[in-house]
Amino acid sequence: MISAPPGASESEANEVASPVPSSLSGFLRQWARRARSGESGVLPVLGGLILIVVIFQVQSPVFLSPANLTNLLVQGAVFVLLGMAEVFVLLLGEIDLSIGFVAGIGGGVAAILLASPYNLPWWAALGAGLVATAAIGAVQGTLVTRLGLPSFVVTLAGLLGWEGVLITMIDHSPSASGGVVRISNNVVNDLVNGNLSPLAGWIGMILVVSAYALATLGGEQKRRKRGLSALPWSIAMLKVGITALAGVVLVLICNTNRGHFVSLRGVPWVVPIVLAVFAGWTFLLGRTRFGRYVYAIGGNAEAARRAGINLLRVRTIAFTLSGLTAGAGGIIYASRLGSMSVGIDGGTLVLYAVAAAVIGGTSLFGGRGKALHAVLGGLVIATVYNGMGLLGMGAASQYMVTALVLVAAVTVDAFARRSRN
Amino acid sequence: MAQTAGNSSYPTAPPLRPSGGGGESPLLLRGIAKSFGAVQALSSVDLDLPAGKVTALLGDNGAGKSTLVKLISGIFAPDEGSIIWEGEPVRLRTPKEASELGIATVYQDLALCDNLDVVQNMFLGREIVRSGVMDEAEMETVASRTLEDLSVTTLSSTRQLVASLSGGQRQAVAVAKAVMARARLVVFDEPTAALGVSQTAMVLDLISRLADAGMAVMVISHNLNDVFRVADRLAVLYLGQIAAEGPISGFDPANVVDLITTGKSARLAPSQPGMEAAGKEEEQP
């Protein structure tokens, strides 16, 4: 017979740290413990980003100039958006190799509809581009979920097929010349190339930071009131403080005059656009049932099924949202260039998208990831891309360095996964 | 004809009956048969699962235990026979239909998502939502209260990821999930197979407590020690049929081993191949 009393297993409670520490030192101790078990959060990628920035600044003193940093943000926007598109699919434990050219379709549809003979208003053209890419996502998602085809193969077919569709589309467009459709609509071009006025930048930043502070501190206050464990005030204030500091630095940099002959200042419109998408997807994944089910399916699809979750629906919606986000990335890409061309390198873009998500901390094995990871990973890639450009290193070196960073990130992911099991 | 479970008014959360009641069986199986191609997994199985009692289901590998569990939990439907839930014949087409009736199945590994925390797992598929947003604080409060009611004290926090829990703690979370869903019948599939000594004791304790609270409990196990510690009733499956069923007082480890391996309860010495594990049990007094 078993003689141990039922209470004997209570001692094992001490093996596992409380997830919500009550003090700053407790927080640090617990972070170290989590890092060892593969739950290190975003600090490693932030550290890596700072390291890369320091290296480039030492090599090239203009790297940290306001003009270059603003340029870097604009370059990063496409990587961040495509990375967020990839996060949806990676969370399910799937992969999407097609989003580079799906983005191309989004930008292409918008550009063609803006030009003659269609001359649609900007909102209708952008809407059509987004609807097209969402539909592509839905179709690919349906093939993966309903027919049970591997997402790798379906989206690899997409990688080839959508490039073909894009070329056909642009070739048959009356407004195209030499495989390029120019965008002459000011609103669309200003999505990336226009700036908020310096005052609007400050006001917007203060609003965003206040909303974040309210949500964070209010949420903790609510938990405290109900007697649930809450973050210590010092940590909560630190989070808000760091966000506010980042906001101030961002607006300061962007509001510095970066023009040579004419004054050029202000936060580029693309920054609030990317922030809005980021906030929307963070909310969707973190606070709604749909988001919870995406994580559940990525973690243990069988458990999700037994909990009564409609796997087909959730998966298809996730693929659709991924397509939608890729379309937004494509529109930003087209806006930045002021045109859409058949030469868009969708193959490289999709690899940067996967790299952005994984470098930021999203797992390739499903169930772990956040929109924030794509933001941070996208910034890392933009930094490498931008810095190596400044140093006069060509595409060859950029590919190799990005590949090394990606392999390093995947290695960390794989080791973290191993130590969890 | 069997009435479908998808009709008008099964309650999502049937009220818990007052504790202590025996006798009344929320679930009756009558004449259940199921085959997979040429393999007859179950044939004419009759089984009662009374409230307030722990019924242990025993049987060798391939005797049909898992098939029976899957029929009860709605993974697939029987070819013949009826499942009678609270006096009404029902057809369980999906796990969701079974759980909405009040049938919860606690699986060894399959039921929890490692990447979610305890609260998120306990509420998976039945989150509390206020105007489109999940009410995390409310869910955490309810989850903590349920765990306290079950005297599950080994969790340091309900916000721990399930990946960091031990086997016994995971079972406790799965049980709490079933209790919170107001289950009237809880089915355990090999609840102690991967557990150490103290964790096994904790889980068996939990199982008894569910029955004390008036739920019908079914335990599938290979471990005769555990079965004799926790069960009130026994049913033995042999080659897809019930070889014996009754109160635990009518059995001892020796004749149970005979039933499992030969389907007969006579105290013969059945030394067939493939019964080494069971043979060890037989030597115990």
Side-chain angles (χ1 to χ4, degrees):
Chain A
M1 279 303 278
I2 295 158
S3 57
S9 50
E10 276 171 32
S11 61
E12 75 194 9
N14 301 329
E15 291 167 18
V16 185
S18 163
V20 185
S22 54
S23 68
L24 187 59
S25 64
F27 183 82
L28 291 175
R29 267 201 308 278
Q30 188 214 321
W31 183 81
R33 210 177 287 119
R34 283 189 144 191
R36 277 199 300 276
S37 66
E39 300 284 341
S40 48
V42 297
L43 288 185
V45 63
L46 276 178
L49 187 57
I50 290 168
L51 182 71
I52 298 171
V53 166
V54 168
I55 292 172
F56 281 131
Q57 175 63 17
V58 168
Q59 300 285 320
S60 162
V62 293
F63 181 78
L64 283 180
S65 68
N68 188 53
L69 286 178
T70 312
N71 187 30
L72 190 155
L73 284 179
V74 169
Q75 287 171 329
V78 173
F79 301 138
V80 169
L81 286 169
L82 294 185
M84 287 196 274
E86 198 66 59
V87 164
F88 271 108
V89 182
L90 289 178
L91 275 177
L92 293 172
E94 310 277 354
I95 195 160
D96 190 334
L97 298 178
S98 71
I99 58 171
F101 285 114
V102 172
I105 300 259
V109 166
I112 289 170
L113 292 180
L114 282 169
S116 63
Y118 311 104
N119 294 316
L120 288 193
W122 65 270
W123 50 268
L126 297 192
L130 293 176
V131 167
T133 57
I136 290 173
V139 168
Q140 294 187 153
T142 305
L143 289 175
V144 171
T145 55
R146 304 259 164 195
L147 300 186
L149 306 181
S151 57
F152 177 81
V153 177
V154 169
T155 59
L156 187 60
L159 175 71
L160 294 169
W162 301 122
E163 179 174 23
V165 170
L166 179 66
I167 293 171
T168 311
M169 218 166 65
I170 291 183
D171 280 351
H172 285 78
S173 160
S175 51
S177 64
V180 177
V181 181
R182 302 223 162 274
I183 297 174
S184 49
N185 183 296
N186 284 333
V187 176
V188 175
N189 280 330
D190 279 353
L191 289 182
V192 173
N193 301 310
N195 299 308
L196 277 74
S197 73
L199 181 63
W202 283 116
I203 293 173
M205 188 277 292
I206 288 169
L207 287 178
V208 168
V209 171
S210 314
Y212 174 77
L214 262 176
T216 306
L217 301 178
E220 294 299 328
Q221 180 59 27
K222 185 182 171 197
R223 295 179 58 82
R224 207 157 298 204
K225 247 189 212 156
R226 302 191 56 148
L228 301 170
S229 56
L231 277 182
W233 281 120
S234 54
I235 306 287
M237 294 306 288
L238 193 66
K239 280 171 83 172
V240 171
I242 288 174
T243 309
L245 184 68
V248 170
V249 169
L250 177 82
V251 175
L252 270 181
I253 289 171
C254 293
N255 280 355
T256 309
N257 181 16
R258 52 185 184 269
H260 289 297
F261 305 108
V262 289
S263 172
L264 180 59
R265 37 200 311 234
V267 178
W269 269 106
V270 70
V271 172
I273 292 171
V274 170
L275 275 181
V277 176
F278 164 60
W281 288 168
T282 299
F283 177 81
L284 187 72
L285 286 172
R287 296 265 175 268
T288 67
R289 273 189 159 173
F290 167 77
R292 177 65 41 83
Y293 295 168
V294 169
Y295 285 100
I297 292 171
N300 185 344
E302 183 58 23
R305 193 173 76 82
R306 291 186 186 193
I309 295 169
N310 185 338
L311 301 196
L312 294 180
R313 201 173 122 238
V314 173
R315 279 187 168 133
T316 309
I317 293 176
F319 270 95
T320 308
L321 292 176
S322 170
L324 178 71
T325 318
I331 286 168
I332 294 301
Y333 176 92
S335 163
R336 176 161 165 247
L337 298 179
S339 67
M340 194 68 209
S341 128
V342 293
I344 179 176
D345 192 353
T348 307
L349 280 179
V350 74
L351 293 186
Y352 280 149
V354 175
V358 174
I359 289 168
T362 294
S363 173
L364 279 174
F365 306 103
R368 279 162 219 271
K370 291 175 175 171
L372 178 63
H373 294 159
V375 175
L376 297 174
L379 285 177
V380 168
I381 290 184
T383 305
V384 170
Y385 186 80
N386 173 293
M388 297 190 73
L390 280 187
L391 297 180
M393 296 161 96
S397 326
Q398 285 170 20
Y399 289 161
M400 287 188 277
V401 170
T402 310
L404 286 177
V405 175
L406 175 60
V407 169
V410 175
T411 310
V412 170
D413 181 26
F415 271 102
R417 182 180 148 88
R418 197 180 302 170
S419 64
R420 277 194 297 266
N421 294 338
Chain B
M1 215 19 236
Q3 180 191 346
T4 62
N7 71 359
S8 55
S9 62
Y10 53 74
T12 20
L16 269 174
R17 295 270 168 86
S19 66
E24 188 195 352
S25 297
L27 188 82
L28 308 173
L29 302 178
R30 289 293 175 262
I32 297 286
K34 176 78 188 173
S35 55
F36 299 98
V39 181
Q40 185 78 24
L42 293 173
S43 58
S44 60
V45 169
D46 292 352
L47 188 64
D48 294 8
L49 298 172
K53 303 274 187 202
V54 178
T55 306
L57 183 67
L58 294 162
D60 211 343
N61 291 336
K65 300 187 304 278
S66 321
T67 309
L68 195 60
V69 171
K70 285 175 178 162
L71 292 174
I72 294 174
S73 54
I75 309 277
F76 43 64
D79 300 334
E80 286 169 37
S82 44
I83 299 175
I84 297 157
W85 178 255
E86 323 221 294
E88 302 271 327
V90 291
R91 186 169 292 169
L92 307 169
R93 284 168 302 196
T94 64
K96 191 177 189 183
E97 285 183 359
S99 71
E100 279 173 348
L101 284 178
I103 300 173
T105 311
V106 178
Y107 295 95
Q108 179 76 31
D109 292 320
L110 296 172
L112 300 177
C113 294
D114 273 354
N115 59 332
L116 299 183
D117 67 30
V118 171
V119 178
Q120 291 170 344
N121 265 293
M122 284 174 65
F123 276 93
L124 190 60
R126 51 177 76 242
E127 290 80 3
I128 299 174
V129 175
R130 297 245 152 78
S131 48
V133 183
M134 291 186 293
D135 190 340
E136 294 286 352
E138 176 71 19
M139 289 196 277
E140 188 169 337
T141 309
V142 174
S144 306
R145 204 189 304 136
T146 309
L147 287 165
E148 267 168 40
D149 288 350
L150 284 170
S151 318
V152 174
T153 52
T154 64
L155 289 176
S156 58
S157 161
T158 50
R159 285 298 178 188
Q160 249 171 285
L161 290 187
V162 162
S164 69
L165 302 186
S166 68
Q169 291 173 323
R170 294 167 68 98
Q171 290 281 5
V173 170
V175 170
K177 184 180 174 182
V179 170
M180 212 179 52
R182 299 282 181 96
R184 309 275 306 281
L185 165 65
V186 184
V187 180
F188 290 87
D189 191 5
E190 299 284 358
T192 58
L195 302 185
V197 173
S198 63
Q199 293 190 17
T200 298
M202 182 195 87
V203 169
L204 294 182
D205 193 44
L206 208 51
I207 290 172
S208 314
R209 233 175 287 145
L210 293 185
D212 291 346
M215 295 180 203
V217 181
M218 178 161 120
V219 176
I220 286 66
S221 182
H222 270 111
N223 187 324
L224 290 189
N225 258 339
D226 293 355
V227 166
F228 277 92
R229 273 189 74 196
V230 79
D232 304 302
R233 299 176 67 254
L234 261 184
V236 181
L237 268 178
Y238 179 72
L239 299 180
Q241 290 181 306
I242 298 282
E245 185 195 357
I248 190 94
S249 53
F251 296 90
D252 62 53
N255 66 20
V256 166
V257 168
D258 290 352
L259 282 165
I260 290 173
T261 52
T262 66
K264 297 186 196 104
S265 57
R267 280 296 290 125
L268 301 171
S271 52
Q272 291 166 7
M275 54 165 292
E276 291 82 5
K280 279 176 205 148
E281 300 287 351
E282 196 185 354
E283 286 157 22
Q284 291 185 353

